[in-house]
Amino acid sequence: MNSYHDQEKVLLAVDCIIFGFDKKQLKILLIKRDFEPERGKWSLMGGFLRPDENLDNAATRVLHHLTGLSNVYMEQLRSYSAIDRDPVARTVSVSYYALINISEHTEINSNFSAAWFDINEFPSLIFDHNIMVANALTRLRYRASTKPVGFELLPEKFTMKQLQMLYEAILGEKLDKRNFINKINGLDILVKTEEKDMNSSRKGSFLYMFDQEKYNSKVSDGFTFKL
């Protein structure tokens, strides 16, 4: 190839699948598209790659523009390059998924008519966004079973019941309470505080914290997180 100028241009976009947890259900954050095509329909938050940024920077910018957050767990998922995926122009999209703690979340940008939906009950999305969500959920389930990413969806202090409900929501199945607690305790990566959540029962439930430093130390010694 002698010249780049002879090549046809292809647009490159990023789309963000944003997961949250409301202490009961796994949620997904969607926006209403404000331009054609598919104006007024539900969509993932996305944008085009700018000349002065890489894909990770673009995904961080898109997420921050919608949520005001930047220091959150985010992971590149995969690319989508079907020729007719966007009816306006040849566009390749790279998807990312992010994990947000809803209880400590700042206000969402009102310009996008954004809303949280239950991961099992959200409206049909534009283009191939439903496929992106399905792929992201599969990846999240795998990551949550092999790394402590689930704690990104919880407040700093949480009860063991809240932790179990989170994993049930992610995995989409009920977990035996005794087995789950035994597995978590066996990992030895939580700190039990002296504080209690008095909303759960009259006696209250002890609050726990994820010990990131201890986890990192255990990993350096060959520890493998597995649930």
Side-chain angles (χ1 to χ4, degrees):
M1 182 173 65
N2 297 322
S3 172
Y4 290 113
H5 298 293
D6 297 332
Q7 304 305 307
E8 293 186 25
K9 299 298 187 292
V10 175
L11 296 176
L12 185 57
V14 294
D15 285 294
C16 295
I17 302 102
I18 304 171
F19 292 118
F21 183 65
D22 65 355
K23 297 184 179 181
K24 292 183 179 180
Q25 301 291 335
L26 185 65
K27 302 284 187 176
I28 184 170
L29 185 60
L30 303 174
I31 65 167
K32 276 196 173 180
R33 189 172 168 94
D34 61 357
F35 59 92
E36 296 293 350
E38 308 289 0
R39 181 185 181 93
K41 294 187 178 181
W42 290 102
S43 165
L44 297 174
M45 183 66 184
F48 291 104
L49 180 72
R50 295 174 178 173
D52 62 345
E53 62 186 3
N54 59 34
L55 286 167
D56 289 353
N57 294 152
T60 299
R61 169 176 55 82
V62 167
L63 179 72
H64 182 269
H65 190 47
L66 175 61
T67 67
L69 301 175
S70 55
N71 187 26
V72 300
Y73 182 90
M74 181 180 286
E75 180 180 340
Q76 187 179 124
L77 185 60
R78 55 166 292 179
S79 60
Y80 298 82
S81 59
I83 295 173
D84 59 351
R85 62 173 303 275
D86 188 322
V88 175
R90 181 78 168 93
T91 305
V92 173
S93 180
V94 178
S95 64
Y96 284 75
Y97 77 93
L99 307 179
I100 290 179
N101 177 359
I102 295 179
S103 64
E104 298 176 2
H105 179 51
T106 54
E107 289 188 11
I108 298 170
N109 190 331
S110 60
N111 293 332
F112 299 104
S113 301
W116 288 100
F117 290 89
D118 189 320
I119 192 61
N120 297 312
E121 298 178 1
F122 63 91
S124 181
L125 307 179
I126 66 168
F127 304 161
D128 50 6
H129 289 191
N130 284 82
I131 298 174
M132 292 183 183
V133 173
N135 292 157
L137 185 56
T138 297
R139 176 73 66 84
L140 175 59
R141 286 172 173 167
Y142 172 74
R143 283 285 184 264
S145 298
T146 58
K147 288 186 177 181
V149 298
F151 295 104
E152 301 287 346
L153 294 163
L154 291 170
E156 182 181 10
K157 298 177 182 179
F158 50 85
T159 66
M160 195 64 74
K161 182 178 180 180
Q162 289 170 345
L163 181 60
Q164 180 176 341
M165 290 178 68
L166 167 66
Y167 274 89
E168 288 178 339
I170 292 175
L171 300 175
E173 60 183 61
K174 296 292 291 184
L175 301 173
D176 180 79
K177 179 180 178 180
R178 180 178 296 180
N179 288 340
F180 179 79
I181 292 177
N182 287 340
K183 284 184 178 180
I184 291 295
N185 288 335
L187 295 173
D188 190 28
I189 55 174
L190 299 186
V191 175
K192 185 178 181 180
T193 73
E194 296 300 319
E195 301 175 55
K196 284 188 174 183
D197 175 9
M198 300 307 298
N199 295 318
S200 57
S201 66
R202 190 164 65 180
K203 291 184 178 180
S205 300
F206 280 106
L207 293 169
Y208 293 80
M209 298 175 62
F210 172 58
D211 192 332
Q212 183 70 58
E213 290 187 9
K214 189 172 186 179
Y215 170 74
N216 292 339
S217 177
K218 288 170 70 72
V219 168
S220 65
D221 292 333
F223 169 78
T224 300
F225 182 96
K226 187 176 182 180
L227 279 181

